[in-house]
Amino acid sequence: METFASWLVDLVHSFGYAGLFITMFFGNVLVPIPVEAIMIPAGYLVQQGEMNLWVVIGSAIAGDIGGSLFSYYFALHFGRRFLFAYGKYVFFTHDKIEMLDKFFAGHGEISVLTGRLVPGLRHFMAFPAGLSHMNVKKFAVYTGVGGGLWMSTLILVGYMIGGNKALVRHYMTYIEIGIIAGVIGMIVLYMRHHRKKTGASDGVA
């Protein structure tokens, strides 16, 4: 993993913003690339004056959204066909697909937004969104916002302490815990708002 991360850093360093876009794009299509392996070194390069902050953020978000849309459309056009044929072998039945459709119809936005902030989960949010035919514009917006928040946090880490790998490893645990806590808080607030909204609708009815 250390060698792979070094290769990613070299790619970004060699090809600049294009390398950043490419790694973020394919990280959402082929291999779940850990974002911190890319964005923390990019933040350090910003601190060193070798890259522009806003172009780094723009390139990363563009690659993130582009790769996610590729996976979204793949799931949209081929996901159901694949699951209807082979889903039974992994206990993914028609009933579960219908449950996923209903869930994303009502909670797709918050699921994508918070899912993009969770390490290990963020790379896989496009498939259920495409599978359930979530509105593509909303998917792109919430993917960009969630991914942008996480990547901006990592860029800040790289900018502040990117030159000290030991310090980065030390603080990343606390940052990830903070992100998870923030995600839980967002979900709790969303659930409260959703219940009030549903209760108001029932009262009107």
Side-chain angles (χ1 to χ4, degrees):
M1 192 65 185
E2 190 84 22
T3 303
F4 181 60
S6 298
W7 178 79
L8 289 174
V9 173
D10 290 341
L11 179 66
V12 172
H13 207 170
S14 301
F15 293 93
Y17 307 113
L20 191 60
F21 175 89
I22 291 169
T23 52
M24 293 305 301
F25 182 96
F26 284 105
N28 286 283
V29 174
L30 298 175
V31 182
I33 298 172
V35 181
E36 57 270 21
I38 307 167
M39 301 313 302
I40 291 177
Y44 180 67
L45 292 175
V46 169
Q47 193 273 334
Q48 294 292 301
E50 297 184 36
M51 300 186 85
N52 178 275
L53 173 63
W54 300 111
V55 182
V56 164
I57 294 175
S59 300
I61 292 177
D64 204 41
I65 293 175
S68 296
L69 285 174
F70 183 96
S71 297
Y72 169 94
Y73 280 112
F74 182 87
L76 180 70
H77 293 295
F78 303 108
R80 287 177 182 272
R81 193 181 310 170
F82 176 82
L83 288 176
F84 286 157
Y86 303 105
K88 58 185 177 182
Y89 298 111
V90 291
F91 307 105
F92 208 92
T93 62
H94 288 217
D95 290 340
K96 289 183 179 178
I97 295 174
E98 290 180 5
M99 288 174 60
L100 182 66
D101 288 344
K102 291 179 181 178
F103 180 81
F104 260 79
H107 311 288
E109 292 90 345
I110 188 66
S111 298
V112 172
L113 175 62
T114 55
R116 297 297 295 182
L117 287 165
V118 179
L121 179 62
R122 66 182 313 278
H123 303 282
F124 304 104
M125 292 308 302
F127 191 84
L131 189 67
S132 60
H133 295 194
M134 179 181 176
N135 180 281
V136 66
K137 291 182 180 179
K138 289 184 177 180
F139 170 75
V141 168
Y142 284 96
T143 292
V145 172
L149 286 172
W150 179 227
M151 289 184 288
S152 296
T153 300
L154 295 174
I155 290 171
L156 180 62
V157 171
Y159 188 91
M160 299 296 293
I161 56 174
N164 189 327
K165 291 183 179 180
L167 206 57
V168 168
R169 293 193 189 96
H170 174 75
Y171 280 108
M172 276 306 300
T173 301
Y174 297 103
I175 291 169
E176 289 176 356
I177 292 172
I179 290 290
I180 298 299
V183 166
I184 293 172
M186 291 168 66
I187 293 173
V188 170
L189 289 174
Y190 169 81
M191 290 175 65
R192 287 181 179 175
H193 175 73
H194 181 73
R195 285 173 183 169
K196 288 181 180 179
K197 186 177 178 181
T198 304
S201 298
D202 292 342
V204 172

